[in-house]
Amino acid sequence: MHINLAKPFFGLFLLMVASSGVFAQTGRFQQAANYQMDVDMDVNTNQYSGTQVLIYTNNSPDTLDRVFYHLYYNAFQPGSMMDERSRSIADPDRRVGDRISKLKPDEIGYLRVRDLKMNGKDVEFSEVGTILEVELAEPILPNSKAKFEMSFTGQVPIQIRRSGRDSEEGVRYSMSQWYPKMSEYDEQGWHANPYIGREFYGIWGDFDVKITIDKTYVLGGTGYLQNPNEIGHGYEDKGVKVPQVKGEKLTWHFKAPHVHDFMWAADPKYRHDKFLMENGVTVHHLYIPTDGVTENWVKLMDYTPKAIEFMSKHFGQYPYKQFSVIQGGDGGMEYPMATLVTGGRNLNGLVGVMAHELAHSWYQGVLATNEALYPWMDEGFASYASALTMSAIYKASEAPLTGSYSGYYRLVKSGKEEPMSTHSDHYDTNGAYSSAAYSKGAVFMAQMGYIIGEEARDKGILSYWNTWGFKHPNVNDFIRIMEKESGLELDWYKEYFVYTTKTIDYAVKKMTPQGDQTDITLERIGLMPMPIDLVITYKDGTSEMVYLPLEIMRGDKAAEAGAPTRVISEDWPWTNLTKTIRINKKSDMVKSIEIDPSKRLADIDQNNNKLEF
């Protein structure tokens, strides 16, 4: 398989890492949290104990008197906030429902911090659900470091949501959100959100993790294995004879540079396949070989490298040396350098979920917008990227974003839409959250191509990656990138499409003969204004586009390749509900008048978009 990337990804990675801390380019500080952990797992009790040394760097201008850790596994206990929310919401996640409320003591999850010191001094801490609140013995000053040392114990819950043990497919351990994780502190302050069931936000750092477990288990996940020739299981160098393990356990040693989380999975039945791409990225697949799984997972190895290649070309160079697709979890879930996906799928479904979770490596793993506040900037952008990737891999003829537009239209018709600015945990329904985050978020990106032109949008996507990689961008940062790329003012698009539920609905109202000329009247029915591409087709087979920019855009998008000859009309002020244009053709020469034949405009009623004669 030939893989050819435009630039060496290692150089980009070093450039991004070198820019961490306080950013002169963006004015945005980033905290750092470097972890060293040693963990011992008992596969008989499903309990583990560990130690953690955390070097925390306060790159903010603020003095910190408190810190917070996430204790995610505490969500899997009867009476937890996740349990209560799952039993009270109108449309509970079928994977959760009331299952947490029925867990027995040996089935629950927990994380318990036994002791915690800062710079060698004991600190006061209290466990409040899924958050550990820590009162510091001394403040952490701006631009200084603190050393936290702790011991902790945990119990792996029955597989319910994302992480856990003994899944329906028989995977023993999906170890995500398994360790005490320092909360993020940014320009908006602390983000010590309880784990209700949505997304994550974390600090970049280097992870050095040793996992001691029964020697029959095969592991995979975040990080580069440091002792492959002692471990074996397909990780060893070619030609190396792996020594026989003395004792019952084996210690796996991983290091992961500049990631915001660390996931691992383990099962004694895992088969491990790997493939080295020409760009130096190693693709790992770990799965349980069965009649319904093996064939498709073997075929998947033809697709994962292709997806990495396509995304690296169109969305930014993938900055790590490996990516692992691992059977586990409860569906598909992204983590740095890896994803957990359920394995019993047909090939197309397996490729699709791989591509979507891989796309998160860009938008959740490296750009890493705060998913709790802006879930659509991760899920929606990943949906957009994976749809284009799947279309390219399969050479599909159908428009790749058709499903996303349909999902958004269904949301509007449901009457349950909420603004995309809603915090992910606070949507009234799971359905409204999913449709907004995934479908409307993808439409936001696709429709940006309609507003500023696809060439400018695509250049902006790469500029967004190069400017904001490892810096936690927000919606304003993205909009400014697109403004700089296009030369247009776009704050109105953000304000309408993100912060409101106002919809787009334009109509071709009428055509009026005017001697040798013709007047065409358009009407804005919806509350959200948009620029209009109006294509007029004549009975002689020719066509032309009349482009009506919004006045508040302060400019015009560039003409797009493949579009009809374009005539630029005067701006359409958003206050005006109708707009009449005059063309220099007789009305009896007109065959049809249509708003946006490309269907990129998210017009909720397209029945009034076209007049035919």
Side-chain angles (χ1 to χ4, degrees):
M1 182 180 299
H2 179 69
I3 305 293
N4 182 25
L5 300 182
K7 303 177 188 175
F9 72 95
F10 295 111
L12 177 63
F13 175 74
L14 292 174
L15 175 63
M16 287 179 165
V17 172
S19 66
S20 62
V22 180
F23 298 98
Q25 184 179 14
T26 64
R28 195 75 50 81
F29 68 83
Q30 300 295 331
Q31 308 294 67
N34 295 333
Y35 294 85
Q36 181 178 330
M37 292 187 282
D38 289 83
V39 183
D40 192 304
M41 171 68 79
D42 186 332
V43 299
N44 297 310
T45 64
N46 303 303
Q47 296 176 354
Y48 56 99
S49 59
T51 60
Q52 180 188 100
V53 177
L54 170 61
I55 306 300
Y56 182 78
T57 304
N58 179 19
N59 286 313
S60 82
D62 305 323
T63 297
L64 306 179
D65 298 310
R66 296 194 298 168
V67 299
F68 302 88
Y69 287 81
H70 293 281
L71 306 174
Y72 292 113
Y73 273 4
N74 290 349
F76 302 101
Q77 299 175 12
S80 70
M81 292 181 71
M82 180 185 283
D83 177 34
E84 294 289 343
R85 179 64 166 165
S86 299
R87 289 188 287 117
S88 63
I89 198 168
D91 57 342
D93 188 318
R94 60 174 178 77
R95 294 165 292 191
V96 184
D98 64 350
R99 291 178 62 199
I100 296 176
S101 68
K102 298 176 180 178
L103 292 177
K104 300 174 183 177
D106 64 344
E107 296 174 331
I108 68 170
Y110 63 73
L111 263 177
R112 295 171 182 158
V113 174
R114 296 301 187 185
D115 59 77
L116 180 60
K117 298 179 185 295
M118 172 189 161
N119 296 333
K121 298 178 181 179
D122 290 329
V123 296
E124 296 182 6
F125 59 88
S126 58
E127 183 182 303
V128 183
T130 59
I131 297 295
L132 189 77
E133 300 178 351
V134 182
E135 300 291 337
L136 301 180
E138 57 189 33
I140 307 176
L141 300 178
N143 302 311
S144 66
K145 297 179 184 291
K147 181 179 182 180
F148 291 93
E149 298 171 278
M150 74 161 63
S151 62
F152 62 94
T153 58
Q155 179 170 286
V156 188
I158 291 289
Q159 176 75 57
I160 292 179
R161 189 68 183 99
R162 292 176 171 145
S163 57
R165 62 180 172 88
D166 303 319
S167 71
E168 290 183 358
E169 295 183 334
V171 176
R172 280 291 284 138
Y173 295 116
S174 297
M175 299 295 291
S176 55
Q177 291 86 55
W178 59 275
Y179 61 95
K181 178 180 177 180
M182 182 68 77
S183 298
E184 178 64 282
Y185 183 88
D186 63 16
E187 70 278 2
Q188 297 183 31
W190 284 106
H191 294 273
N193 299 91
Y195 184 28
I196 308 299
R198 290 282 187 251
E199 310 298 353
F200 307 99
Y201 188 38
I203 311 168
W204 280 289
D206 297 336
F207 285 73
D208 187 325
V209 181
K210 293 180 179 178
I211 302 164
T212 300
I213 193 169
D214 186 283
K215 65 182 178 182
T216 63
Y217 278 65
V218 182
L219 274 61
T222 304
Y224 309 126
L225 186 61
Q226 300 298 295
N227 55 341
N229 294 332
E230 299 172 18
I231 295 296
H233 293 299
Y235 287 98
E236 69 273 17
D237 296 329
K238 187 176 180 180
V240 170
K241 184 177 181 180
V242 180
Q244 187 172 0
V245 179
K246 297 179 181 179
E248 299 301 317
K249 289 189 172 184
L250 186 59
T251 297
W252 297 63
H253 184 194
F254 295 94
K255 287 186 178 181
H258 216 54
V259 294
H260 60 64
D261 204 355
F262 189 99
M263 176 275 288
W264 58 283
D267 193 285
K269 303 179 295 296
Y270 272 153
R271 170 175 165 175
H272 175 209
D273 298 336
K274 65 181 178 181
F275 178 82
L276 178 62
M277 297 171 61
E278 289 186 5
N279 65 0
V281 175
T282 299
V283 175
H284 300 273
H285 286 176
L286 291 99
Y287 57 94
I288 298 174
T290 63
D291 290 341
V293 170
T294 304
E295 181 180 359
N296 289 334
W297 278 74
V298 170
K299 293 178 180 177
L300 181 67
M301 191 58 83
D302 290 332
Y303 293 94
T304 306
K306 291 178 182 177
I308 294 173
E309 176 188 20
F310 181 88
M311 292 185 191
S312 292
K313 179 179 179 180
H314 293 278
F315 309 116
Q317 292 293 322
Y318 180 72
Y320 301 111
K321 294 187 292 184
Q322 74 175 39
F323 183 75
S324 298
V325 185
I326 305 171
Q327 184 180 357
D330 61 352
M333 184 59 197
E334 68 280 359
Y335 299 97
M337 297 191 197
T339 177
L340 289 171
V341 303
T342 46
R345 304 166 180 266
N346 62 38
L347 181 59
N348 286 355
L350 187 60
V351 175
V353 73
M354 174 277 296
H356 179 82
E357 305 309 331
L358 171 65
H360 281 297
S361 296
W362 278 254
Y363 296 105
Q364 192 255 10
V366 173
L367 287 160
T369 291
N370 183 348
E371 292 179 89
L373 294 179
Y374 315 103
W376 59 275
M377 293 184 69
D378 173 43
E379 294 294 355
F381 289 6
S383 295
Y384 172 84
S386 58
L388 265 60
T389 302
M390 289 288 287
S391 181
I393 287 176
Y394 282 98
K395 297 180 172 61
S397 57
E398 184 183 57
L401 275 300
T402 299
S404 295
Y405 278 85
S406 297
Y408 167 59
Y409 296 146
R410 285 193 298 271
L411 173 63
V412 171
K413 290 178 182 179
S414 74
K416 297 180 179 179
E417 184 183 6
E418 301 176 56
M420 288 201 296
S421 56
T422 305
H423 187 286
S424 62
D425 283 332
H426 296 283
Y427 277 84
D428 290 339
T429 64
N430 282 318
Y433 161 77
S434 296
S435 295
Y438 291 77
S439 298
K440 191 177 181 182
V443 170
F444 177 93
M445 183 71 89
Q447 193 169 235
M448 181 67 78
Y450 170 79
I451 296 170
I452 70 174
E454 295 197 353
E455 182 178 355
R457 189 267 322 276
D458 293 347
K459 288 181 179 178
I461 287 174
L462 290 172
S463 180
Y464 178 53
W465 170 264
N466 292 327
T467 302
W468 285 102
F470 298 106
K471 298 169 191 170
H472 294 310
N474 57 45
V475 59
N476 297 319
D477 302 322
F478 179 79
I479 288 293
R480 287 296 294 134
I481 289 289
M482 293 298 169
E483 287 184 332
K484 291 174 182 178
E485 199 63 53
S486 67
L488 301 177
E489 188 170 333
L490 299 171
D491 52 355
W492 60 272
Y493 182 44
K494 170 195 66 179
E495 289 156 6
Y496 274 97
F497 210 64
V498 175
Y499 296 124
T500 79
T501 58
K502 295 178 180 180
T503 55
I504 303 162
D505 184 12
Y506 280 85
V508 182
K509 189 174 183 179
K510 62 181 180 180
M511 180 177 74
T512 307
Q514 297 289 345
D516 290 338
Q517 298 176 312
T518 303
D519 283 353
I520 298 171
T521 300
L522 306 179
E523 181 180 16
R524 176 170 66 83
I525 301 170
L527 295 177
M528 178 172 175
M530 286 289 283
I532 297 297
D533 289 349
L534 185 71
V535 175
I536 305 166
T537 303
Y538 300 103
K539 292 178 180 177
D540 63 3
T542 62
S543 62
E544 66 177 342
M545 176 188 290
V546 179
Y547 171 59
L548 293 88
L550 285 174
E551 186 175 288
I552 54 178
M553 291 168 57
R554 304 301 167 195
D556 311 321
K557 72 174 175 181
E560 296 186 273
T565 301
R566 190 175 75 162
V567 176
I568 299 178
S569 168
E570 62 183 11
D571 295 347
W572 185 343
W574 70 267
T575 54
N576 299 18
L577 299 183
T578 61
K579 178 72 175 177
T580 299
I581 60 172
R582 181 166 291 181
I583 59 174
N584 294 318
K585 295 284 183 74
K586 290 183 177 181
S587 60
D588 60 4
M589 297 178 65
V590 177
K591 179 180 180 181
S592 67
I593 305 168
E594 184 175 8
I595 295 171
D596 180 38
S598 73
K599 307 300 182 186
R600 294 173 296 172
L601 179 69
D603 191 306
I604 64 167
D605 181 7
Q606 298 178 15
N607 293 322
N608 55 19
N609 284 17
K610 186 175 183 179
L611 286 181
E612 295 184 278
F613 307 96

